[in-house]
Amino acid sequence: MPSIQEFMTQHHKVCDDLLVEAESALASKDWSAFAELWSKFETETLHHFAMEEQVLFPEFEAQTGMTAGPTMVMRQEHAQINAMFEQMKAAIEQQDQERAMGCSESIMIFIQQHNMKEEQILYPMTDNHLSNSAEIVEKMSTH
């Protein structure tokens, strides 16, 4: 069974690869492909957030007592990314290439920074502080 860090970092890569595919379709102005690929990226990213917010974060908070620390910051950033997804929906509906490219770039940069914090700080903390990390990975993998 992988560690929390290994499992979640691998899922970040899945999401990153979907974003690259979507951006490629956007660059070629294939709106149909872009909308479909973006939807897959967004769905997988929201699934990632759900694994964290519904499984990992509550377990971390319960076992450490830290509720105003890194998990609070990550939830706030998830909300910011959700707001960016809403902006992208409008760009796709209007087939606004410039706006969509700007949204995609902003989302990519924000997610890269977000993922670095998780991979370098939060996930190592979870692996170090949680006594049942294998059970948590199992819950997230079936979530």
Side-chain angles (χ1 to χ4, degrees), residues 15-27:
C15 294
D16 292 345
D17 291 347
L18 290 169
L19 177 58
V20 168
E21 285 182 54
E23 286 183 326
S24 177
L26 177 61

Side-chain angles (χ1 to χ4, degrees), residues 1-9 123 126-127 133-134 137 140:
M1 184 65 64
S3 68
I4 292 169
Q5 182 167 9
E6 291 166 340
F7 179 77
M8 296 303 279
T9 298
Y123 298 155
T126 60
D127 280 321
S133 58
V137 169
M140 288 189 296

